[in-house]
Every structure is written in C-alpha cells, then in structure tokens.
Amino acid sequence: MGLDSVELVMAVEEAFNLKIPDEKAAKLDTAGKLYQYVIENYNENPNALKNVNFESEVWEKLKRVIVYQLGVKSEDVTKQANFVYDLGMD
C-alpha cells in the first residue's frame, strides 16, 4: 500500500472508530468495498442500524473523508470508483 492508501485507511479508522487490518485494507480497492466494510464493522453507535438514514449517512461521511484525503471532487466518488484508476491514489 502506498502512502495515500495508508493515510486514507487511517482517516477512515479515525472517522468511524474502527480498525481495518492491513490484509483487508489491501482488498478494499473501490469506494463501494470500503463503504461495505465500514457498514459491516461500524461500532460507534450500537443503535445506528435502527436509524433509517444510517447507510446514507455513512456513505456521505465516507465520501467527505475520501474527498479530503485524496483531493478529488465529491462527484467523482462513487461506489464503483476504483481508488487507483478512478481517483488517482498511489
């Protein structure tokens, strides 16, 4: 993983209060895969899943982290966007 990757993973871990093991992080090559990992492992609020807006709130927060860390436009961050090929991450 390059420096951009490491910094993005660290920022996501901090934003969502979770740990992403290196072997998992290496496989999270799209924003959608990272989003799915966060949804499945998010533990900041045990009642979060009862919130009907939970998934959209997680996606918006994750997008903000990606935009900030990679310096890309918000509209470029889609769930299909590959971090290397679409978002220019090293």
Side-chain angles (χ1 to χ4, degrees), residues 27-89:
K27 296 177 183 176
L28 302 173
D29 60 347
T30 67
K33 288 179 184 177
L34 181 55
Y35 164 75
Q36 195 58 46
Y37 182 88
V38 170
I39 289 291
E40 292 170 0
N41 295 280
Y42 190 46
N43 60 8
E44 181 179 86
N45 179 356
N47 295 319
L49 292 175
K50 294 179 183 176
N51 178 352
V52 294
N53 296 319
F54 171 74
E55 291 187 9
S56 64
E57 289 173 6
V58 168
W59 174 243
E60 290 305 315
K61 184 175 182 179
L62 180 60
K63 271 181 68 169
R64 287 192 300 274
V65 171
I66 294 169
V67 166
Y68 179 79
Q69 287 296 315
L70 301 183
V72 296
K73 296 177 185 172
S74 181
E75 59 267 18
D76 292 338
V77 181
T78 66
K79 291 179 182 169
Q80 297 77 29
N82 182 285
F83 288 115
V84 173
Y85 301 114
D86 299 319
L87 302 176
M89 188 167 74

Side-chain angles (χ1 to χ4, degrees), residues 9-18 38 42 44 61-62 65:
V9 168
M10 289 173 58
V12 171
E13 289 175 332
E14 184 176 323
F16 292 97
N17 191 30
L18 54 83
V38 170
Y42 190 46
E44 181 179 86
K61 184 175 182 179
L62 180 60
V65 171

